[in-house]
């Protein structure tokens, strides 16, 4: 079974080989003045595979599902092309895949949302986040 090393929502992400650069990582609240609307968001993940679970035909398909307050899917991404193996030359018994994607997320509702991250049909993690119409108060 694949193991999730990390999954983050951020403002922007960029991958260079095995290095992932994140800007404003750990988003759990999205501020938007007006709905419907769109917000740019980055998704960064690294998944490790033991040799025994890597299919001969390559890495399993990655799926990202953004869901709204009523568990309705807002947008889904399947077979994200930015997934690639890194580090296999130095550690052939451990394959790692990096996902780095910057998207524009369409939003219809305020309230609790979530990102579901699946690899090969297996749910590895769910990240909750809240969409609000007021910026956080600064103290």
């Amino acid at each position: 079974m694949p193991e999730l090393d990390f999954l983050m929502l951020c403002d922007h992400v960029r991958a260079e080989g095995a290095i992932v650069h994140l800007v404003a990582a750990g988003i759990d609240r999205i501020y938007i003045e007006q709905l419907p609307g769109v917000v740019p968001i980055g998704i960064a993940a690294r998944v490790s595979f033991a040799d025994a679970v890597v299919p001969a035909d390559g890495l399993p398909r990655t799926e990202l599902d953004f869901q709204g307050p009523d568990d309705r899917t807002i947008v889904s991404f399947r077979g994200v092309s930015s997934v690639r193996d890194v580090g296999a030359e130095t550690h052939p018994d451990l394959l790692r895949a990096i996902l780095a994607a910057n998207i524009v997320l369409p939003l219809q509702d305020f309230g609790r949302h979530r990102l579901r991250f699946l690899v090969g049909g297996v749910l590895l993690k769910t990240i909750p986040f809240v969409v609000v119409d007021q910026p956080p108060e600064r103290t």
Side-chain angles (χ1 to χ4, degrees):
M1 180 167 170
E3 290 185 30
L4 182 64
D5 297 327
F6 63 83
L7 175 64
M8 294 278 211
L9 291 177
C10 57
D11 276 351
H12 183 79
V13 62
R14 180 172 49 99
E16 292 179 4
I19 304 297
V20 179
H21 303 273
L22 302 165
V23 176
I27 290 176
D28 64 357
R29 185 172 309 262
I30 295 174
Y31 165 68
I32 187 167
E33 290 183 15
Q34 181 178 332
L35 292 176
V38 295
V39 294
I41 195 159
I43 304 112
R46 186 174 75 188
V47 179
S48 296
F49 300 86
D51 210 18
V53 298
V54 178
D57 58 349
L59 297 174
R61 184 172 74 171
T62 300
E63 302 173 38
L64 299 167
D65 289 328
F66 283 92
Q67 296 181 329
D70 57 359
D71 294 334
R72 174 182 42 87
T73 298
I74 299 168
V75 65
S76 293
F77 299 95
R78 304 279 187 263
V80 179
S81 62
S82 60
V83 173
R84 60 187 182 277
D85 64 33
V86 293
E89 313 81 38
T90 55
H91 300 284
D93 59 328
L94 181 64
L95 181 66
R96 290 197 169 120
I98 299 285
L99 177 134
N102 294 294
I103 66 164
V104 177
L105 181 62
L107 295 171
Q108 299 287 327
D109 302 297
F110 293 112
R112 293 183 150 285
H113 290 66
R114 65 183 176 169
L115 165 63
R116 298 176 69 233
F117 182 73
L118 301 93
V119 175
V122 176
L123 178 64
L124 295 186
K125 183 154 181 93
T126 300
I127 294 182
F129 61 96
V130 179
V131 176
V132 296
D133 64 349
Q134 297 293 318
E137 289 195 27
R138 296 182 185 230
T139 55

